[in-house]
Amino acid sequence: MSEERVYCSDLCLASGEPMLGTAVQVDVWLLLEYRPAWRRKAVEDNDLAPEIQAWLREQVAAFEATGRKVRPQLVRRPGRDDAGVTVFVAEEGGLGWREVEDYRDLAGLDLALANLEPVAQPHYFVCTNGQRDLCCARYGLPTWTRLQEAVGERAWQTTHVGGHRFAPNVLVLPQGALYGRVTEDAVPEFVEAVEAGELATEFLRGRSMWPPEAQAAEALLQGASTLKEVQGEDVTFATVSGNKTVRVRRASSPWQMIPSCGVTEPEDVFPFVSA
């Protein structure tokens, strides 16, 4: 009799590990449509023509040359049968997009300088790359289906966004927030908050453009805020009622977590806890 498979996200959920402050820190999200099946490291290992792979590397390098952290992703929307290739760029709280007829049309496009069409409505990118981690397909695909029913063409699938154990993971742009444990049953509640222009704090991992301390601290505030500074455990925001400082701290002793499906040895993590 074969052993029952254990999924890392099930273990993480059962442990109660806090998610705040776990979003990968990214200044620029660069998302390129790629419809074929994804491999484990899809951004580096795919069937794009060599010149398009080179173009993508050049775009990443151009943004990195400005001192920013760049995260390239592949995205797709199954069922989309019209021609064209879509590319998104998210930076500084904004999201722009461009659609071209063919990958070859990307060759002369400089995304750092291009006049992309701005996107105002939230777009949802669900990690579904089961080749990278089983949880992303097992739990991400049902969430993407429910999101598509709720927001239509604004729901996309994407490659690895980090944090398999928090699957289903959803990146919302231009909000710039990464969410975890957005199960298919939670989609209505999640969408209601995001569409209202709010952070869905119950599912929040963090706003990716901020350092971990600020990601964790923001969830403790009510209403809109702008990050001013991070000094150790103290994070200061500008709010409509003036500056507010929030103190956050990490657990003093480690939580032992299985980071991915197939990994047998736990890793020590130090999540943020209430200060």
Side-chain angles (χ1 to χ4, degrees):
M1 181 180 296
S2 61
E3 294 184 4
E4 183 177 355
R5 184 182 296 278
V6 177
Y7 294 91
C8 65
S9 60
D10 292 345
L11 296 174
C12 180
L13 179 62
S15 77
E17 181 191 353
M19 295 192 294
L20 288 176
T22 63
V24 60
Q25 194 171 353
V26 176
D27 298 310
V28 181
W29 291 92
L30 198 165
L31 306 102
L32 176 64
E33 184 174 8
Y34 181 76
R35 304 183 192 186
W38 294 334
R39 297 167 187 150
R40 185 174 185 276
K41 295 188 175 182
V43 174
E44 298 85 6
D45 182 13
N46 54 64
D47 292 327
L48 288 169
E51 59 268 26
I52 301 305
Q53 295 181 17
W55 171 85
L56 183 58
R57 291 192 295 269
E58 290 167 1
Q59 301 309 303
V60 171
F63 282 112
E64 288 180 338
T66 65
R68 290 178 288 177
K69 297 179 180 180
V70 186
R71 179 94 177 194
Q73 301 281 134
L74 299 182
V75 298
R76 64 187 177 202
R77 205 171 67 230
R80 172 165 136 86
D81 55 7
D82 51 328
V85 176
T86 299
V87 60
F88 293 96
V89 177
E91 55 179 330
E92 299 176 354
L95 177 64
W97 77 287
R98 174 76 63 86
E99 183 171 285
V100 296
E101 291 185 4
D102 187 87
Y103 284 108
R104 291 170 295 184
D105 298 325
L106 294 171
L109 183 61
D110 185 338
L111 293 176
L113 302 175
N115 184 22
L116 302 179
E117 184 174 343
V119 177
Q121 288 185 298
H123 279 53
Y124 302 78
F125 300 88
V126 186
C127 181
T128 61
N129 190 0
Q131 292 297 316
R132 187 67 180 266
D133 191 276
L134 293 172
C135 286
C136 297
R138 178 182 173 87
Y139 297 117
L141 286 169
T143 291
W144 172 78
T145 299
R146 288 294 298 274
L147 276 169
Q148 188 183 45
E149 293 170 355
V151 302
E153 296 181 352
R154 290 187 284 130
W156 292 74
Q157 297 181 11
T158 189
T159 50
H160 176 59
V161 294
H164 315 298
R165 67 187 187 276
F166 300 119
N169 288 297
V170 183
L171 171 68
V172 176
L173 300 172
Q175 189 182 65
L178 182 61
Y179 296 93
R181 298 174 182 156
V182 186
T183 64
E184 57 179 322
D185 292 337
V187 164
E189 174 189 356
F190 172 68
V191 169
E192 182 179 8
V194 174
E195 294 291 306
E198 302 171 356
L199 287 172
T201 53
E202 180 181 346
F203 312 98
L204 185 64
R205 292 181 56 192
R207 205 182 292 265
S208 62
M209 63 183 176
W210 288 350
E213 294 80 4
Q215 293 178 20
E218 183 185 26
L220 304 178
L221 292 176
Q222 298 293 325
S225 59
T226 302
L227 178 63
K228 293 200 68 176
E229 64 177 357
V230 178
Q231 291 190 338
E233 297 179 334
D234 293 330
V235 185
T236 302
F237 298 89
T239 73
V240 293
S241 56
N243 290 347
K244 291 187 177 181
T245 299
V246 178
R247 174 162 291 182
V248 295
R249 66 178 178 84
R250 291 189 181 273
S252 57
S253 57
W255 293 45
Q256 289 198 322
M257 300 302 306
I258 297 295
S260 301
C261 291
V263 174
T264 56
E265 293 297 322
E267 295 181 1
D268 288 347
V269 298
F270 292 83
F272 285 100
V273 295
S274 299

